[in-house]
Amino acid sequence: MLKYLFDRILALLGLVILSPVLLAVALLVRIKMPDGPVLFRQVRIGRDGKPFSLVKFRTMTGDQTGETVTAAGDPRITPLGAKLRRYKLDELPELWNVLIGDMSFVGPRPDVPGYADALTGDDREILQLRPGITGPATLKYRNEEELLAAVDDPVRYNDEVIFPDKVRLNRLYLHHRTLGMDLRLLWATVFGRKIVFEGETI
């Protein structure tokens, strides 16, 4: 309950304080990318396996069909979108998801249904958590798009290497999470720092 209240209060403050930034980015997307909506909505799987609509600033062309795994240099990503993704500005609207209770500031990144459905056995326990904007797996793979761009088969590398490791980290977080840990993870996210999480530098 304490974390839930912390999330909602901080999300409300964030939306108010960052409203000029949100407005500026929205205007840039409308001007530079007039071929589609300002916001991108996608069904993701949340706590207890319940679907919800994740909202972000749109970073791709109007035609966003294709792989759900995105590597750096993906031709669907616009020049403005690349900058927004680099500085994580496209994720600012997720503060709304936190405010209404779909997400938390810290937790596993919410997967699309196909990946969430692939969880089996004990791995499904991470669905007990409210998904987050950041977390240990997010920090370890902060350069995920560059990693995927460097391999021959990004989808296979994601499915066989990155995704299982993210699940492992998220299970560790589930069993060892504290408010203090959440604050450390948030600090590392905001300031781009590495921290030690359960004996591993991320």
Side-chain angles (χ1 to χ4, degrees):
M1 179 59 71
L2 178 61
K3 177 174 179 174
Y4 185 61
L5 291 175
F6 171 82
D7 282 338
R8 300 190 79 177
I9 292 170
L10 190 59
L12 180 59
L13 288 173
L15 286 168
V16 172
I17 294 171
L18 295 173
S19 57
V21 178
L22 289 162
L23 179 59
V25 174
L27 287 173
L28 280 172
V29 173
R30 171 55 63 204
I31 293 169
K32 298 289 187 179
M33 302 163 58
D35 60 333
V38 170
L39 296 176
F40 169 69
R41 298 177 184 274
Q42 186 179 50
V43 174
R44 299 289 181 96
I45 300 303
R47 189 178 187 182
D48 299 324
K50 296 178 181 178
F52 71 97
S53 180
L54 178 82
V55 58
K56 304 171 74 171
F57 283 122
R58 185 167 62 89
T59 60
M60 295 185 178
T61 60
D63 179 16
Q64 299 190 39
T65 58
E67 298 290 351
T68 56
V69 174
T70 307
D74 189 309
R76 297 172 297 171
I77 301 174
T78 68
L80 173 62
K83 291 183 175 63
L84 296 180
R85 295 169 81 98
R86 178 181 178 185
Y87 296 105
K88 308 300 183 184
L89 294 175
D90 61 314
E91 297 186 8
L92 288 179
E94 291 173 37
L95 290 170
W96 173 254
N97 286 117
V98 176
L99 181 64
I100 64 176
D102 289 333
M103 293 178 64
S104 173
F105 274 99
V106 181
R109 285 296 298 171
D111 287 314
V112 295
Y115 279 97
D117 294 341
L119 294 170
T120 59
D122 291 339
D123 288 347
R124 292 192 64 80
E125 68 182 2
I126 63 174
L127 294 177
Q128 298 172 25
L129 293 166
R130 206 180 303 275
I133 293 177
T134 190
T138 305
L139 285 173
K140 181 173 181 178
Y141 291 101
R142 51 170 63 85
N143 63 336
E144 179 178 336
E145 292 188 359
E146 287 74 20
L147 287 174
L148 292 173
V151 298
D152 293 332
D153 190 337
V155 175
R156 182 177 180 180
Y157 186 79
N158 178 74
D159 292 352
E160 296 182 356
V161 179
I162 295 180
F163 182 69
D165 194 40
K166 285 182 175 180
V167 173
R168 176 186 67 84
L169 289 166
N170 288 328
R171 289 187 63 196
L172 282 173
Y173 172 74
L174 170 65
H175 292 291
H176 300 281
R177 67 192 189 279
T178 63
L179 182 57
M181 177 183 291
D182 282 3
L183 292 174
R184 289 174 56 234
L185 291 167
L186 281 171
W187 178 85
T189 300
V190 172
F191 295 102
R193 306 296 187 186
K194 289 187 175 292
I195 61 171
V196 176
F197 170 76
E198 295 301 308
E200 180 177 352
T201 300
I202 58 174

